[in-house]
Amino acid sequence: MGQAVSLPFKLANTTLTFYRGFFHYLLGTGRHSPYLPPSDPSSTIPSYLRPHQHTPSTYTSTPIFHRHARMHLYTLASAFYLYHKPHYRKPSYRRDILDNFSNVAIPGTGIPLSYFVWNRFSALTLVCVGYPAISLAASVHKWMKGLLTFSGERHSISEEYKVRLLAPDDWFSYWRLNCRIAGLHAYLNMEEGSLAPPKGYEMENKWTFLEVGKERNVPISPYLTTPAIVVKHRNEEGGMGIHFYKNATEGGDWIIQERIENGEWVQNHLPEGAPLSTFRVITQSRGALDVKKTNESSEGCRVEDITALSCVFRAGRKGAETDHDSILFDVDPSTGKVLGGTTNAHWYRLGLSQLLPGRCPWRSKDHAITHHPDGNIPVSGSVVPDIKGMLKLVEESHWKLCPDVPLVGWDVVLSKDENLPVCLLEVNLSCNFFRGSFDKEVYLGFLEDMVGVLQGLRLGKDGKVKGKVVKKEKEV
């Protein structure tokens, strides 16, 4: 009874903390002063975003939770700063989120999130009204699910609400956190009087990635150099059903490649008719903390400054054209052991029919899948061959191609080609962990270092700190 009475007060307190933290970084002291860690006597971080001194009794009272909350709220507020600013791959950050949100919906709503970020006012309404409401609904749903399934798990609505609102750990929130860091980093490191981001961001262009990768001995996916190809439908006539493609090698828009086949290990874990299935590996580079030093000095960034964070095996579904339709199996980077699988497909189900009961699940199985559902093929428990070699490859590739970019998602192929058994398809610089697990201490520690640097650059652009980049200590 006491918990039920105190619940509204706990929820209200968490909501107030969210508003205070968000506006602290949007308009308040956090917007206009250097970002310094709580351990620094000059830090302006408010008390409600600092861990308490007593021994943590729950996850939401730990230092890592509070660090995550600061990163989330700082970058969420920074999205409004970026809104009309140039983006490294689009005319503006606004254009990028509109495109990225056009096929994503909160599960069970069917409404593309792009409808809610059309302008700053609608985006602010989503953050200040929609986001707390969605977080509360998700927290109640998890609590009810625990009761109805008789699983024995007891979930606290107030604790779950804190996580969802202040330090969300779902795939979508991590993706957007990475996107905001990339957007801020690319914009704030643009050369004065230029709209060109650091050189490493050019790797987002698939053709540039292949060209530069080949020059720097990175095992990229092979491409054909024939000037052009013609594709004809076998039964059309009268000039119909014929298509001409000019190769990118000749200045055209098309990269022409032979189809890559899955290697033996991958194919043994897939059904017949599955697409090329890749491994998504995320790496981070401390060289991105000082772009000028990294790009001007051979000692500016070492390969040891690159760290592989996570690995996910995207096991494609039967009949799918790509592994975007897949089961996402987490992989332990230290051993290569394949862990449980899950999906995020319910976030991509659009249309008002998804509002109907039973049409779209709110949640997916939380890494509970052990077998590929198309054929009941066992996957969990298998060991990815030479995982150390795979991780070393992407760390070295990050160092060779884009050490000035903070986070990179690599699509790694284990192929059937004996001459190229491992290759890289492309990179993603606003990257997605695809629900893979990773060391939060390493990741959030890096992000806090990055935010300290970015805030210094941002104040420099504002003219409030002339030529000063704040050097931040690591929080203990």
Side-chain angles (χ1 to χ4, degrees):
M1 183 65 183
Q3 291 182 344
V5 171
S6 64
L7 179 60
F9 298 98
K10 291 178 179 179
L11 297 177
N13 184 59
T14 297
T15 308
L16 179 60
T17 298
F18 169 74
Y19 287 138
R20 291 172 73 189
F22 175 71
F23 285 102
H24 170 77
Y25 291 119
L26 181 68
L27 302 170
T29 306
R31 169 64 183 89
H32 303 292
S33 60
Y35 182 93
L36 298 169
S39 57
D40 192 301
S42 301
S43 175
T44 60
I45 293 173
S47 60
Y48 53 84
L49 293 179
R50 298 170 181 252
H52 300 298
Q53 297 301 315
H54 58 74
T55 302
S57 57
T58 61
Y59 171 67
T60 59
S61 59
T62 61
I64 194 170
F65 171 84
H66 286 84
R67 175 182 275 174
H68 190 171
R70 294 193 296 272
M71 297 304 95
H72 175 59
L73 294 171
Y74 175 89
T75 59
L76 188 60
S78 297
F80 293 87
Y81 165 79
L82 283 174
Y83 195 76
H84 288 299
K85 301 286 195 300
H87 192 266
Y88 67 88
R89 64 184 177 191
K90 293 292 171 68
S92 68
Y93 181 78
R94 171 185 178 272
R95 185 70 261 167
D96 190 66
I97 56 174
L98 283 173
D99 290 348
N100 271 299
F101 284 6
S102 64
N103 67 338
V104 182
I106 300 297
T109 66
I111 305 172
L113 283 171
S114 55
Y115 289 4
F116 302 99
V117 294
W118 192 255
N119 55 46
R120 272 200 181 111
F121 177 77
S122 62
L124 188 63
T125 302
L126 175 64
V127 168
C128 293
V129 180
Y131 180 34
I134 293 165
S135 297
L136 179 59
S139 302
V140 173
H141 179 267
K142 186 172 184 177
W143 175 76
M144 291 182 65
K145 186 177 179 182
L147 289 179
L148 296 175
T149 57
F150 303 102
S151 62
E153 292 185 83
R154 298 186 64 183
H155 300 287
S156 165
I157 293 175
S158 60
E159 287 295 300
E160 181 67 13
Y161 183 60
K162 274 187 184 180
V163 172
R164 297 276 67 81
L165 193 59
L166 300 180
D169 55 2
D170 57 277
W171 79 271
F172 177 84
S173 298
Y174 280 128
W175 171 46
R176 296 317 306 165
L177 177 54
N178 292 344
C179 290
R180 296 190 294 264
I181 288 290
L184 273 171
H185 183 269
Y187 172 70
L188 293 172
N189 282 288
M190 287 179 178
E191 295 182 10
E192 192 171 347
S194 168
L195 294 181
K199 292 285 289 182
Y201 285 92
E202 294 177 2
M203 295 303 108
E204 186 84 15
N205 181 295
K206 293 176 175 60
W207 176 236
T208 302
F209 167 72
L210 293 177
E211 277 192 307
V212 177
K214 186 175 182 180
E215 289 173 8
R216 299 180 185 176
N217 295 315
V218 171
I220 47 92
S221 56
Y223 56 89
L224 304 178
T225 57
T226 183
I229 61 169
V230 180
V231 179
K232 297 180 181 179
H233 192 280
R234 63 183 182 177
N235 286 326
E236 295 284 353
E237 58 182 43
M240 297 183 293
I242 183 169
H243 304 278
F244 298 86
Y245 298 95
K246 185 178 180 181
N247 202 327
T249 58
E250 302 296 316
D253 292 330
W254 303 97
I255 298 168
I256 302 173
Q257 298 175 294
E258 292 185 355
R259 181 170 181 170
I260 301 174
E261 300 291 337
N262 289 309
E264 182 180 2
W265 186 93
V266 174
Q267 193 57 53
N268 286 341
H269 295 85
L270 298 175
E272 288 294 326
L276 181 68
S277 297
T278 62
F279 293 82
R280 166 57 60 89
V281 183
I282 303 292
T283 54
Q284 66 181 31
S285 170
R286 297 195 68 82
L289 293 167
D290 191 336
V291 169
K292 186 175 182 181
K293 182 179 177 182
T294 292
N295 288 337
E296 292 182 358
S297 168
S298 59
E299 299 299 317
C301 180
R302 303 165 301 162
V303 70
E304 292 80 13
D305 295 321
I306 314 294
T307 304
L309 293 173
S310 66
C311 180
V312 170
F313 172 42
R314 299 192 294 186
R317 303 298 301 268
K318 183 176 182 178
E321 294 187 353
T322 71
D323 61 2
H324 288 85
D325 183 4
S326 61
I327 306 299
L328 309 172
F329 286 95
D330 194 13
V331 176
D332 184 341
S334 63
T335 64
K337 183 178 180 180
V338 181
L339 307 176
T342 186
T343 69
N344 60 2
H346 54 306
W347 282 78
Y348 294 92
R349 297 177 65 166
L350 305 180
L352 293 180
S353 63
Q354 303 304 319
L355 288 165
L356 298 175
R359 291 300 299 270
C360 179
W362 270 44
R363 299 176 184 273
S364 60
K365 293 182 178 179
D366 191 13
H367 293 95
I369 301 173
T370 59
H371 290 57
H372 197 297
D374 303 328
N376 197 34
I377 303 165
V379 180
S380 294
S382 296
V383 177
V384 178
D386 192 20
I387 188 69
K388 296 296 183 184
M390 181 191 294
L391 300 185
K392 182 181 179 183
L393 169 62
V394 294
E395 288 173 345
E396 290 178 346
S397 299
H398 195 158
W399 177 63
K400 290 178 180 179
L401 298 177
C402 48
D404 52 357
V405 175
L407 294 157
V408 176
W410 304 88
D411 290 339
V412 185
V413 175
L414 299 186
S415 80
K416 190 178 180 180
D417 187 347
E418 294 181 357
N419 296 317
L420 193 65
V422 183
C423 67
L424 305 177
L425 279 187
E426 61 187 38
V427 298
N428 300 268
L429 307 183
S430 292
C431 50
N432 184 338
F433 283 107
F434 284 108
R435 303 197 67 181
S437 58
F438 53 91
D439 188 327
K440 288 186 180 180
E441 289 279 2
V442 173
Y443 171 69
L444 293 172
F446 171 68
L447 290 196
E448 191 155 45
D449 289 342
M450 181 60 68
V451 163
V453 170
L454 295 179
Q455 180 65 0
L457 294 172
R458 186 174 172 184
L459 295 177
K461 279 190 178 286
D462 290 343
K464 294 173 183 174
V465 177
K466 298 295 184 181
K468 180 180 179 182
V469 176
V470 179
K471 184 177 180 182
K472 186 185 122 343
E473 300 174 5
K474 277 195 172 183
E475 177 186 345
V476 179

